[in-house]
Amino acid sequence: MRILNTLQAAAAVAVAVRLARGRRRLPPLAAPRTPAPTTTARVSVVIPARDEEERLGPCLAAALADPAVTEVVVVDDESRDGTAKLAAGLGARVVAGTPPPEGWVGKQWAVQQGIEAAENEVVVTLDADARPAPGLFGALAAALEEYDLVSVGPRFVCEGVAEQALHASFLTTLVYRFGPIGPSAPPAPHRAVANGQCLAFRRTAMLDADGFARVRGNMADDVALARTLAGGGWAVGFLDGGGLLEVDMHDSAGGVWREWGRSLSLRDVTTPGWQAADLAVVWLAAALPVLRLAAGRPTRLDLGLLTVRFLLAGALRGSYTRPGPGVLLSPLLDPVAALRLTQATLRPVRHWRGRVYPASTTDVRPGRDREGAFLDPDGARPEGVTRGGRTSRPDRNAAR
């Protein structure tokens, strides 16, 4: 018991240090107030879509209506429904996606095709469940003055007490492992995180770096991309974009469990040591206090951790479009979230949207050679990546 309490104290310190970063967060992403060269960039929006007929409409309508967007490219990833017809009917340019080559996960291959088809230098990729607000694309273009790759954290559309509670509990596992969104100082590349529902970058730089090809086999493609490019010298920003972006990810608590739970562990982009450390923090600092409270035997540290957790639940209300009692009740589901995180770590999912990927595809972790250059999953140095890990991308000012 003494050893367990000591480990719990260490986990509590780790969580406290990470939460403290929230006191120095960068300001949320905001729409530009006045037209300026940095906010009037012509933006291409790329949306990979596979069987998204039911969710694509609002995303497309908002993107097409934004004055900063001059084209929306929908890559129809072999959909079996009316995705392509809907996209074309609303005014998007539809690219008929081809089957992913061997070693590629479908989303990365669809995004790669969309980037190649895009006409503008500034590219923003969106998932079909994204709901951009006016000003998002101008704000992202402006952010590219400071960063090479930008992703944003949205507000979530969650209906129902159970769905919201489970979602908020899952979200807490990310905060406990990586800290709040928008840190003022960038994390080490191997701890960088990103949200693949919305990414912004310069087309030439991404193609030169062959970014999506370098993470072609990762199921957690967004975090893999951020960590690989950050390790190669890119300035990667993960900003709070809740005022300009909403996402409607799931339609039930079961959907949260199945769909978000499959990628929550970030298993294929995290070393075994960090996986164990992350699991320990979640179990000791979040799940254990609830379990001990339920058993009627909480320690003082348990009560302190529960207090912190309920305070965090209050802070997380701002992450939801219509926060309800589910967010405040979410600490009670922390043991369930820890269980799902453990399950996803030990038994990673290797299928998505009707496609099954081999085990080797999801166990790829970008590495370095002896000279420090980042390597492809097959051990080759990607084209456009020099020794030392730097990309041979063009000068950022010249690209403008």
Side-chain angles (χ1 to χ4, degrees):
M1 183 65 69
R2 182 175 299 178
I3 294 177
L4 182 61
N5 290 340
T6 300
L7 292 173
Q8 186 184 41
V13 170
V15 169
V17 169
R18 291 164 185 170
L19 291 178
R21 297 172 191 161
R23 299 171 60 184
R24 300 182 299 275
R25 297 171 62 195
L26 295 172
L29 198 68
R33 294 184 178 180
T34 57
T38 58
T39 62
T40 56
R42 295 163 59 88
V43 176
S44 293
V45 176
V46 172
I47 304 174
R50 180 172 170 84
D51 298 333
E52 295 287 8
E53 181 181 10
E54 295 183 359
R55 299 195 296 180
L56 183 60
C59 178
L60 264 182
L64 289 164
D66 195 293
V69 176
T70 62
E71 67 166 353
V72 177
V73 178
V74 173
V75 182
D76 179 34
D77 186 15
E78 299 187 295
S79 297
R80 295 154 292 187
D81 61 6
T83 294
K85 182 178 179 180
L86 172 67
L90 290 175
R93 178 156 64 96
V94 177
V95 173
T98 59
E102 183 178 357
W104 282 78
V105 172
K107 181 179 178 180
Q108 286 94 296
W109 178 238
V111 171
Q112 179 70 21
Q113 293 174 88
I115 297 171
E116 292 174 355
E119 297 179 351
N120 295 318
E121 181 63 13
V122 175
V123 174
V124 175
T125 67
L126 287 179
D127 281 1
D129 55 13
R131 307 289 181 263
L136 171 67
F137 302 102
L140 288 170
L144 289 176
E145 292 293 309
E146 302 295 329
Y147 300 99
D148 300 305
L149 175 71
V150 177
S151 72
V152 299
R155 283 200 180 106
F156 300 100
V157 178
C158 279
E159 305 295 343
V161 174
E163 179 186 353
Q164 205 168 83
L166 184 61
H167 192 282
S169 186
F170 279 10
L171 185 59
T172 296
T173 70
L174 292 173
V175 177
Y176 273 26
R177 287 182 283 164
F178 304 107
I181 193 173
S184 57
H190 72 281
R191 297 296 284 175
V193 290
N195 173 29
Q197 294 167 323
C198 180
L199 296 172
F201 47 85
R202 296 189 178 277
R203 178 179 181 272
T204 302
M206 185 62 72
L207 290 176
D208 284 351
D210 218 12
F212 284 91
R214 294 168 69 184
V215 299
R216 60 186 178 271
N218 290 92
M219 299 300 286
D221 57 285
D222 47 4
V223 177
L225 183 69
R227 293 182 179 182
T228 299
L229 295 180
W234 281 44
V236 176
F238 186 25
L239 307 178
D240 180 358
L244 296 175
L245 180 67
E246 296 179 359
V247 294
D248 188 0
M249 298 170 61
H250 313 291
D251 56 7
S252 66
V256 174
W257 177 271
R258 291 188 307 272
E259 296 171 18
W260 198 16
R262 72 184 178 89
S263 60
L264 195 64
S265 69
L266 305 179
R267 182 187 187 277
D268 67 327
V269 293
T270 307
T271 63
W274 273 109
Q275 289 176 37
D278 288 341
L279 280 174
V281 165
V282 172
W283 274 108
L284 293 169
L288 183 59
V290 177
L291 295 174
R292 281 179 169 167
L293 181 66
R297 301 178 61 183
T299 66
R300 290 183 180 180
L301 182 55
D302 289 325
L303 295 176
L305 286 167
L306 285 168
T307 300
V308 170
R309 178 63 180 88
F310 277 101
L311 290 173
L312 178 60
L316 288 179
R317 287 175 58 82
S319 298
Y320 295 88
T321 56
R322 289 178 291 276
V327 179
L328 297 180
L329 293 173
S330 64
L332 303 180
L333 293 185
D334 285 353
V336 176
L339 180 63
R340 183 64 173 115
L341 185 64
T342 304
Q343 181 187 48
T345 300
L346 299 177
R347 300 182 60 185
V349 173
R350 300 184 175 95
H351 58 83
W352 184 242
R353 293 291 175 92
R355 289 182 176 137
V356 179
Y357 301 102
S360 59
T361 298
T362 58
D363 290 332
V364 169
R365 297 184 184 92
R368 297 185 187 216
D369 66 10
R370 293 182 179 179
E371 297 170 308
F374 275 70
L375 304 176
D376 269 345
D378 58 9
R381 183 181 292 112
E383 183 180 355
V385 180
T386 64
R387 297 181 186 275
R390 294 279 178 173
T391 59
S392 57
R393 61 187 187 278
D395 180 78
R396 293 174 66 193
N397 292 319
R400 301 175 198 129

